[in-house]
Amino acid sequence: MIRKSNGSSRRILTYPAIHPCDSISPATLLSSLIDLVQDICSYKSKFFSVNKINARETFRQITNLLLFLQEIRNTTSDPPATFVLSFSELHLTFQKLRFLLEDCTRDGARAWMLVNSEWVANQFQILIRGMATGLDVFPLSTVDVSNEAKELVDLIIRQARKTTFQSDPEDKKAVKVLMRMLNQFEEGTQPDPVEVKRILEHLGIHKWSNCNKEVKFLDSETEIEFSDRESELLSSLMGFMSYCRCVIFDFIDTETQHLNRSCNCNEALKGINGDDLKCPISLELMSDPVTLSTGHTYDRCSILKWLNSGHATCPKTGEKLTSTELVPNLVLKAMIQQFCAGNGIAVVASSRKNRDITRTIKAGSLAGEEAVKMLVGFLVNKLVNGDSEEMNKAAFEIRVLTKTSIFNRSCLVESDSIPPLLKLLFSKVDNTQENSMAALLNLSKHTKSKGVIVENQGLDTIVHVLRRGLKIEAQQHAAATLFYLASIEENRVLIGENPEAIPGLIELIKKGNNHCKRNALVAIFGLLTHSGNHWTVLAAGAVPLLLNLLKDAEREDLVTDSLAVLATLAERIDGAVAILRRGALPLLVGILSTSTSRTGKEYCVSLLLALCVNGGEDVVARLVKNPSLMRSLYSQLSEGTTRGSKKASSIIWILHDFHEKSSSAPVTPVLPRERFVHVS
């Protein structure tokens, strides 16, 4: 009956749909109300960064009411129906109050709660007045409780109406100081470090990880539609917190945080059924889950189609919607990503991905822009002039800073961060090589960075890390960086000409973890778009390695990527020959019939078509004899992608044509030996 919330599945400082308690017995309603009040009282032990005074006054009044409610339960075994109106009003009010307390104590949202402290104070007053309204209609004269209890109710009502809830004086002072510092950023002036530390102290932000949570929260909020003023404020706060994270805190406490997060994720996923993570409309795993006003969650693209078709109800319950606002369910999204990673499922790209990337091309405010520029100057200086520990921290900070924002990457590229990062790839201190390689990976996604890396002899350095990196993680990042660099034709040529590049990627597939394999596969796939790299990939032993991967891989994405590379190799005769000589046909037919990935099936069909075209009539003859192949191909005509269905149709035509001709003519061999290239 009490709606539970994890604090992150709804938009902060908003109330989800809260329904009246209709058709509920008074005794059940009273019990639920007491549980709800006790739940609210449990927030006493939590940290309030803002509105401390208002929270204390609220708990004082709520605690008094709890005593009254418990006495009613102890003295009235069967409460009359006349209690329902009052209890229902109180239940609605207290559900909202609990959501407000949830936001006030939400870890990572402290800066946002500070700048909204006036609004929050007003909400405390509205809700406490709502409590008084609920008690006003309570039939106090009909209940058998002590006179002290009745007097307590009168006292609660008087105090609820009399008490004025205002923003705490210390909060008001902190907001003024914070706004002054944001103005200083706009003017290109660095704020006083002493004042910065005071603000952080006021918010209870004592560690790097605390500050990082603030940045992540603010970044997630920018995905929600706000007014221009609110969007600018979010961007300014994110710039401020990013600046604090890098400049104020010398120690990065990430290892414990990472372990705790992994542990929590594993605990959260225990007992989770994959069906619970699917959209009720499409029955597919959700990529961008959003919650309606009814509290039910759907994939964004599915519910938008439903709403745009003229429906004004919740698809699951048929209930009429009070609002069509779609609130991102960030917790569920994270759980889906964890579930997919743990079960080897390729995560479907979000329909909002392009939009989310586009919004980071520019800073959302002048203060945010100038804060990042100051921060970038600070980090580049540490890369060039700092000691080994400062260089490592700067590399890590750049790694974090470049992870999501195109604007941040642009600032770092323009500030000449790439040359010192390339030099750090030869460092053997701590995790410096890994952090620098990860930072360069993120920077390589920026268009201008690719030329800068090549101009500074970065290709050879990155290949060096690929082959001789101190950690497998550094080698993994190097492979991914080569993939992004290979998006330019000239770079594909240069990478292919490096005698260690493609063999290094093949070696990483052999010995690396699943992430290494994936990065190496996509890098090879990108390099194959330059025809000159085709023979090098074959000579490095790609075909037998990838076929073994198809047999042994438990992850669907690795199978799909392997098929993509093999399909590209098979487009030329020497590649098709190498694949056929390894007896790949039964394996490929089996994958086509069992794979659950539409993309994987498409690549499998492409591969089979290339083998039919380049392998000769012997290949077609063997495929004709396989009864399960036709079922899979016809299935692709209706269920596959447009491109996949066209290629499936081509194979079907080839097989039918061969069958008709073979009834009147002998089968002609086989593989064109004169064009065979030996591949080890």
Side-chain angles (χ1 to χ4, degrees), residues 561-572:
D561 292 336
S562 299
L563 288 169
V565 174
L566 288 168
T568 306
L569 291 172
E571 290 175 359
R572 292 173 55 171

Side-chain angles (χ1 to χ4, degrees), residues 277-534:
L277 307 178
K278 293 181 178 180
C279 174
I281 298 175
S282 67
L283 302 181
E284 299 287 342
L285 279 175
M286 290 180 278
S287 61
D288 189 9
V290 292
T291 302
L292 284 178
S293 59
T294 58
H296 292 284
T297 299
Y298 304 88
D299 206 10
R300 181 180 293 274
C301 59
S302 298
I303 192 62
L304 281 176
K305 288 179 181 178
W306 171 267
L307 296 174
N308 292 337
S309 64
H311 296 92
T313 58
C314 176
K316 198 168 185 179
T317 64
E319 181 180 345
K320 188 173 181 179
L321 299 176
T322 58
S323 168
T324 56
E325 180 183 19
L326 304 178
V327 180
N329 193 327
L330 302 179
V331 169
L332 183 59
K333 185 174 183 178
M335 289 182 66
I336 292 171
Q337 291 171 343
Q338 288 289 332
F339 178 83
C340 291
N343 292 276
I345 301 172
V347 182
V348 179
S350 170
S351 59
R352 304 184 75 208
K353 185 175 180 181
N354 292 335
R355 178 188 171 193
D356 293 343
I357 292 175
T358 302
R359 68 180 171 81
T360 69
I361 292 177
K362 295 181 180 180
S365 69
L366 181 58
E369 177 180 340
E370 294 300 324
V372 171
K373 288 180 179 178
M374 288 182 197
L375 169 58
V376 166
F378 173 84
L379 292 175
V380 173
N381 179 59
K382 292 296 183 183
L383 284 179
V384 176
N385 301 314
D387 57 30
S388 59
E389 184 176 339
E390 289 173 328
M391 288 180 179
N392 184 28
K393 182 177 184 294
F396 179 82
E397 295 285 7
I398 293 174
R399 174 182 183 175
V400 174
L401 198 63
T402 55
K403 193 171 184 180
T404 56
S405 172
I406 295 176
F407 174 75
N408 293 348
R409 295 171 194 161
S410 177
C411 287
L412 283 157
V413 173
E414 297 291 342
S415 299
D416 294 327
S417 64
I418 289 177
L421 283 172
L422 287 170
K423 290 181 180 178
L424 287 180
L425 292 182
F426 294 101
S427 173
K428 296 184 179 180
V429 177
D430 298 325
N431 299 315
T432 303
Q433 184 188 70
E434 179 191 348
N435 288 330
S436 301
M437 193 66 255
L440 285 164
L441 165 59
N442 294 334
L443 287 173
S444 69
K445 300 172 186 178
H446 191 272
T447 304
K448 292 183 180 179
S449 68
K450 298 174 176 62
V452 177
I453 290 174
V454 173
E455 290 167 8
N456 286 274
Q457 289 75 50
L459 281 179
D460 291 341
T461 306
I462 293 168
V463 171
H464 168 80
V465 176
L466 175 69
R467 295 304 304 263
R468 302 174 186 84
L470 299 177
K471 289 186 174 182
I472 194 68
E473 290 80 7
Q475 295 176 296
Q476 169 189 323
H477 297 322
T481 305
L482 290 178
F483 165 74
Y484 285 105
L485 294 177
S487 63
I488 296 177
E489 175 64 23
E490 293 82 355
N491 291 348
R492 291 195 285 272
V493 176
L494 293 173
I495 295 170
E497 289 175 349
N498 187 306
E500 293 193 309
I502 290 176
L505 293 170
I506 295 296
E507 185 66 23
L508 196 59
I509 297 174
K510 289 180 182 178
K511 70 176 185 179
N513 55 35
N514 287 333
H515 289 297
C516 291
K517 288 179 169 62
R518 184 107 201 268
N519 288 352
L521 284 167
V522 296
I524 291 172
F525 183 73
L527 290 171
L528 282 173
T529 57
H530 171 59
S531 59
N533 293 327
H534 178 92

